[in-house]
Amino acid sequence: MGNLHSVSLLQTTNASLESRSGQRSDFSPKRILVTGGAGFLGSHLCETLLREGHHVICVDNFFTGSQRNIGHLVDFATFKAIRHDVVEPIDLEVDEIYNLACPASPPHYQADPIHTTKTSVLGALNLLELAVRLQARIFHASTSEVYGDPEVHPQVESYWGNVNPFGPRACYDEGKRVAETLFHDFHHRHGVEIRIARIFNTYGPRMRPDDGRVVSNFIVQALKGEDITIYGDGSQTRSFCYVDDLIDGFRRLMDAPASLNRPVNLGNPGEFTIRQLAELVIEQTGSSSKIVHRPLPVDDPTQRRPDISLAMRELEWQPQIPLVTGLQKTIAYFEGVLAETSPALIEVA
């Protein structure tokens, strides 16, 4: 196991103390491990858990995760960050585990496809073995990519998918599918309490400017006045869920009854074409950018929309934030990022 390095901590601020006020009298804080905790989704999850009053251990190798995303979390005395790659085993004492470790954008997961597959498969295996030892409930961030280029629309959890195992996206798609299999088998063989979220396109503050996914691409290009690049004719569809809605879904799923030990779709069922998204971004940024077209990448899905009936029924969850509202918040974030010359970072050994 590699060396573990913790981020130096600051005293809890008055703001963070106030955020914990109003907790019910029977509230018992947990020690919660979040892998990929410095990433886009992971940092939002860590912040939510801290504000609920839990102790959070953030584990990240900082390949795509950013120190910027967790810099403000050192205000919590109950937060610790560890530099570690989940491909290697890790041994910690925690009550719950959230596994969010894996690059999620094509440019990043295709940069080292072998390591991407190892992160999904070996990472899941290492964390499941930790969950067995601790008898801890474990959450896995899976993906709508397990459906591939779907022949069933919208996608329901019982659909097995249409994935190419021999293409440039396979390292991510198949890695996540194998991870789901491991979670299933550890549940049935060892009785591990599992939660699996199949995440559909999510956007919001703390995405990387070079993320490579469509929302961040369009916003950054529009703010810079560059051409907005659409791959294909723009008729392919996606469903966009704002990050706050998704994290609420995570928390509801993790706290759901033990019987919900199967994959659950989490995403926004509102469906937009890529061209509609580009036009909306231009409108909301007031940009003079022009739309240009490039060839469609290999295995790029033509349509993607979740059936969230299971989440609505079992979790009483559905997204609340409209695309326009979420885009406004995300645009404001990227305006700040692009205006920075030297972002403030925390020290990580």
Side-chain angles (χ1 to χ4, degrees):
M1 178 169 57
N3 293 329
L4 307 182
H5 305 282
S6 63
V7 175
S8 59
L9 304 179
L10 304 178
Q11 293 298 315
T12 305
T13 63
N14 290 335
S16 61
L17 284 170
E18 289 171 2
S19 73
R20 300 171 201 182
S21 63
Q23 289 282 10
R24 63 183 187 272
S25 59
D26 63 343
F27 173 78
S28 178
K30 298 174 181 176
R31 285 176 55 83
I32 301 177
L33 169 61
V34 179
T35 68
F40 164 45
L41 298 181
S43 62
H44 283 279
L45 176 60
C46 286
E47 182 173 354
T48 296
L49 293 169
L50 289 166
R51 295 197 180 282
E52 289 177 4
H54 299 291
H55 299 256
V56 175
I57 302 173
C58 162
V59 167
D60 207 295
N61 67 357
F62 294 95
F63 172 59
T64 56
S66 170
Q67 298 171 37
R68 174 206 301 273
N69 290 342
I70 58 174
H72 65 296
L73 299 184
V74 297
D75 287 350
F76 290 85
T78 51
F79 176 74
K80 181 165 70 173
I82 296 173
R83 184 188 297 274
H84 182 81
D85 192 323
V86 296
V87 167
E88 302 295 332
I90 189 167
D91 193 12
L92 297 166
E93 298 298 322
V94 295
D95 303 305
E96 290 183 345
I97 302 168
Y98 284 84
N99 178 31
L100 276 64
C102 190
S105 71
H108 293 151
Y109 67 65
Q110 292 172 3
D112 188 346
I114 294 172
H115 194 268
T116 295
T117 303
K118 290 170 69 175
T119 299
S120 288
V121 178
L122 295 181
L125 182 61
N126 289 330
L127 293 169
L128 284 162
E129 289 178 341
L130 178 63
V132 170
R133 183 181 73 77
L134 299 173
Q135 297 186 338
R137 181 176 293 185
I138 181 170
F139 174 104
H140 178 58
S142 188
T143 172
S144 61
E145 296 296 335
V146 300
Y147 299 123
D149 189 4
E151 297 174 335
V152 170
H153 192 74
Q155 292 78 60
V156 66
E157 289 88 349
S158 58
Y159 176 51
W160 291 357
N162 178 37
V163 175
N164 176 8
F166 203 71
R169 301 171 70 101
C171 59
Y172 184 69
D173 301 1
E174 295 288 39
K176 289 289 190 177
R177 285 162 68 94
V178 172
E180 285 195 13
T181 300
L182 285 169
F183 269 70
H184 172 273
D185 292 340
F186 267 76
H187 170 67
H188 287 279
R189 176 60 65 91
H190 299 292
V192 178
E193 280 197 56
I194 63 170
R195 300 291 182 274
I196 299 173
R198 287 181 178 165
I199 303 167
F200 285 68
N201 292 62
T202 305
Y203 69 100
R206 300 185 202 154
M207 297 183 83
R208 289 173 49 144
D210 63 347
D211 181 85
R213 284 176 284 190
V214 65
V215 173
S216 53
N217 273 2
F218 285 1
I219 291 175
V220 170
Q221 289 171 337
L223 291 176
K224 290 183 174 180
E226 300 172 350
D227 289 342
I228 288 184
T229 307
I230 290 180
Y231 294 94
D233 63 8
S235 64
Q236 64 270 39
T237 67
R238 295 293 185 271
S239 301
F240 303 103
C241 185
Y242 189 68
V243 62
D244 289 358
D245 282 331
L246 186 74
I247 298 304
D248 177 50
F250 282 8
R251 296 296 295 119
R252 289 172 185 252
L253 179 55
M254 186 58 132
D255 292 341
S259 59
L260 199 60
N261 46 47
R262 60 192 187 279
V264 178
N265 286 340
L266 293 180
N268 195 318
E271 187 175 11
F272 297 85
T273 68
I274 297 301
R275 178 147 194 122
Q276 285 176 316
L277 176 68
E279 292 170 347
L280 189 55
V281 167
I282 290 172
E283 175 188 314
Q284 292 299 313
T285 57
S287 176
S288 59
S289 295
K290 306 299 182 185
I291 294 175
V292 298
H293 294 267
R294 296 286 184 270
L296 193 67
V298 175
D299 296 334
D300 192 67
T302 55
Q303 54 185 3
R304 190 64 66 73
R305 175 163 68 94
D307 182 314
I308 61 169
S309 301
L310 180 60
M312 291 175 65
R313 183 175 68 251
E314 298 293 337
L315 308 178
E316 297 183 351
W317 176 87
Q318 59 182 329
Q320 301 297 317
I321 299 173
L323 180 58
V324 170
T325 303
L327 283 178
Q328 290 169 347
K329 294 175 182 288
T330 310
I331 289 166
Y333 169 77
F334 277 114
E335 286 175 333
V337 170
L338 295 178
E340 289 182 6
T341 55
S342 56
L345 301 177
I346 60 174
E347 180 181 353
V348 180

